[in-house]
Amino acid sequence: MALAGPHDEALEVPASLADVLRARIEPLSPRTRRLLVAVAAAGSLRPELLARLAGASEIDEAVEHGVLVLVEGQVRIAHPLLSSTVYGDAGALLRSRVHLQLARLADSAEERVRHLALSGAGPDENVAAELAAAAEAACRRGAHGTGAGLFERAAGLTPESHEPERARRLLSAAEAHFRGGEPDRARTLLETAAAGEGPLRFEALCRLGFLLDETVGGNSSLQVFERALGTADPSVASEAHRGLAQSLSYVGGLDRALEHAGAAVRVAEPLA
């Protein structure tokens, strides 16, 4: 399951084509059109779930008009552009209600929290915490792309009063993106976290330094690691010294590299 809803990135539909697509569903009853919004919001559904979203007459009408199709055991709208039009034309209130309904019908915790997040209820720490838990589960099974998206959504739904949790979720999203082969997105999130005001900004700086070391090289990470030394956390300070030792050894500053290597050990000794 991908975190992003099927229409998070709206497809560009020319006005003339959109009118043609709308004409295709206009003859359908209001109940059938509502069913189409639910299928569009889900992206695809198991056939047995349709009966929990609408009656037989609405399902039959959508199938007979060729709007709903069965593809590899999943029911979906016949074409992505039609699906995007159906979802986009639905009002915000209807989309919210549909996502809440889909959350109640979801087979997995990840799917449930995805729909809760897409219901547009606003910041909610309970939903954010569920998203973060689902993200952790996704990452544990190796689905780092899914986990990254879930962590990002969790950070976005974290209330301002829970800033440490938001920062931690951004760091987790960055880690998942990096493991999933998206270092540019990881860098963007780390830079966002590093621009914050809480103590986790120093950990973000440290992680950003190591990422720059791996993806850019040269002296690109030196100032970042030096800024990370402003932390009061000895474990982060030790990592920042280690990063400086590593980076300086690459660019020929061997004496300073040795100094920071020694400092990394000294700072970490109380933690042993």
Side-chain angles (χ1 to χ4, degrees):
M1 178 210 75
L3 167 71
H7 312 290
D8 277 8
E9 295 181 5
L11 298 174
E12 292 291 336
V13 183
S16 57
L17 177 56
D19 290 339
V20 172
L21 294 170
R22 291 187 183 103
R24 186 171 176 183
I25 61 174
E26 279 177 2
L28 303 177
S29 69
R31 288 179 179 271
T32 301
R33 291 200 297 271
R34 190 188 188 285
L35 169 63
L36 295 181
V37 174
V39 177
S44 63
L45 287 169
R46 290 184 291 106
E48 56 267 31
L49 283 182
L50 286 183
R52 301 177 66 180
L53 291 169
S57 60
E58 288 81 28
I59 297 170
D60 290 344
E61 184 181 20
V63 172
E64 289 167 4
H65 277 76
V67 180
L68 286 185
V69 295
L70 186 66
V71 179
E72 298 180 350
Q74 294 284 309
V75 176
R76 62 183 65 223
I77 292 181
H79 193 280
L81 290 177
L82 179 59
S83 181
S84 186
T85 300
V86 167
Y87 188 82
D89 283 354
L93 179 58
L94 176 56
R95 288 198 297 267
S96 176
R97 293 180 63 188
V98 161
H99 280 297
L100 289 173
Q101 184 178 19
L102 290 169
R104 290 192 292 271
L105 297 176
D107 293 325
S108 68
E110 289 178 25
E111 192 70 13
R112 190 179 85 85
V113 295
R114 178 175 81 87
H115 285 298
L116 286 175
L118 291 171
S119 69
D124 185 316
E125 177 56 23
N126 290 330
V127 174
E130 286 195 60
L131 280 165
E136 291 169 1
C139 290
R140 281 196 298 270
R141 68 170 189 269
H144 297 292
T146 296
L150 286 163
F151 274 127
E152 281 202 60
R153 181 73 70 175
L157 287 177
T158 304
E160 291 183 1
S161 57
H162 290 70
E163 180 56 30
E165 288 85 355
R166 176 183 175 276
R168 176 59 64 192
R169 288 158 187 165
L170 284 176
L171 294 184
S172 297
E175 175 71 14
H177 274 300
F178 184 77
R179 290 180 177 273
E182 297 289 343
D184 290 344
R185 183 59 184 162
R187 177 176 177 175
T188 297
L189 293 175
L190 289 174
E191 289 173 343
T192 299
E197 297 182 357
L200 282 176
R201 72 185 187 275
F202 297 109
E203 184 176 341
L205 285 165
C206 204
R207 294 193 187 193
L208 178 60
F210 283 113
L211 185 147
L212 291 172
D213 243 3
E214 291 193 34
T215 60
V216 179
N219 61 4
S220 61
S221 63
L222 294 181
Q223 289 187 353
V224 177
F225 282 129
E226 287 168 355
R227 288 170 59 198
L229 289 175
T231 182
D233 185 334
S235 63
V236 176
S238 178
E239 283 294 287
H241 280 298
R242 184 174 71 83
L244 281 165
Q246 176 177 292
S247 299
L248 287 165
S249 68
Y250 293 156
V251 297
L254 198 54
D255 289 341
R256 288 184 62 205
L258 290 172
E259 290 175 6
H260 283 289
V265 174
R266 288 193 302 274
V267 170
E269 283 177 350
L271 304 174

